[in-house]
Amino acid sequence: MSVVTQNIRANAEIFYGDEICQEKIKLRLVEMGLPNNLLPLKGIEECGYVKDTGFVWIRLKNEMKYNNEKIKKVTSYTKEITAFMEKFKIKKLTGVKSKELLMWIPLSEVSVDTPLTGKITFRTSSGLYKSYPVSAFQIEDVKKEAIGASVAKEAQVVKEV
């Protein structure tokens, strides 16, 4: 059962489709001072953001796993991921697990100490945590230009209306 209620949806920006949702997620991560490849998701059906509360959700077509070669860790994503985003932090994260030894550990919080130069820390609800370099979750790519163009295009659309 989804935690995204009709009330939440009524106050949210909602997008549909993998390409636009990936773009919006990366844009939101960058706006919050988080690395742009923190959520390397594929097959996104829907994503939403409630600006007033910072609540975000992402719905995937299928559960997926991602192997981050830079830190040699596998992360598992359920069909629905939810969280509250604020500057340099993701709180009350659901739908994301990291494999440690032979166990899948649910993650509940992600925070960046010093944006884009320091450490990113992943926490569980039980208090366990692990830190990595922010660069392990950052990709330098030509999509930065596309994200910038998208923001400019949205600004232009707002002005036209």
Side-chain angles (χ1 to χ4, degrees):
M1 183 172 175
S2 176
V3 298
V4 182
T5 64
Q6 289 301 325
N7 189 34
I8 291 171
R9 295 176 73 79
N11 297 310
E13 293 178 38
I14 304 172
F15 300 94
Y16 301 92
D18 187 59
E19 188 174 333
I20 188 73
C21 285
Q22 284 191 35
E23 186 177 307
K24 294 296 182 182
I25 291 165
K26 284 184 178 168
L27 179 63
R28 185 77 52 226
L29 288 168
V30 170
E31 286 176 347
M32 293 297 160
L34 298 163
N36 62 4
N37 200 36
L38 186 58
L39 296 169
L41 304 171
K42 302 285 184 223
I44 303 170
E45 290 183 330
E46 176 185 288
C47 64
Y49 174 64
V50 180
K51 188 174 185 174
D52 294 341
T53 63
F55 181 74
V56 296
W57 76 89
I58 303 165
R59 286 207 178 115
L60 305 175
K61 290 178 185 174
N62 299 302
E63 292 184 4
M64 66 167 281
K65 290 186 173 122
Y66 176 76
N67 184 16
N68 186 325
E69 294 292 330
K70 293 178 183 177
I71 61 168
K72 303 202 180 343
K73 292 287 178 192
V74 177
T75 306
S76 172
Y77 301 93
T78 62
K79 285 185 166 186
E80 184 173 87
I81 300 154
T82 64
F84 288 87
M85 292 180 84
E86 58 186 52
K87 203 68 167 163
F88 310 118
K89 189 178 276 190
I90 297 175
K91 298 189 308 187
K92 298 183 181 179
L93 179 64
T94 67
V96 181
K97 295 178 184 179
S98 179
K99 193 165 191 177
E100 290 293 329
L101 298 173
L102 300 174
M103 296 177 14
W104 287 100
I105 310 291
L107 300 176
S108 62
E109 186 175 300
V110 180
S111 61
V112 173
D113 299 334
T114 309
L116 304 178
T117 59
K119 298 282 184 188
I120 185 166
T121 302
F122 297 85
R123 297 182 187 281
T124 68
S125 57
S126 63
L128 298 173
Y129 68 92
K130 195 154 191 179
S131 297
Y132 300 97
V134 170
S135 60
F137 300 90
Q138 185 72 25
I139 53 173
E140 301 298 326
D141 62 358
V142 293
K143 288 188 180 180
K144 279 187 178 179
E145 295 170 12
I147 290 171
S150 172
V151 171
K153 185 177 179 181
E154 283 185 19
Q156 184 178 11
V157 169
V158 170
K159 288 178 184 177
E160 290 174 2
V161 173

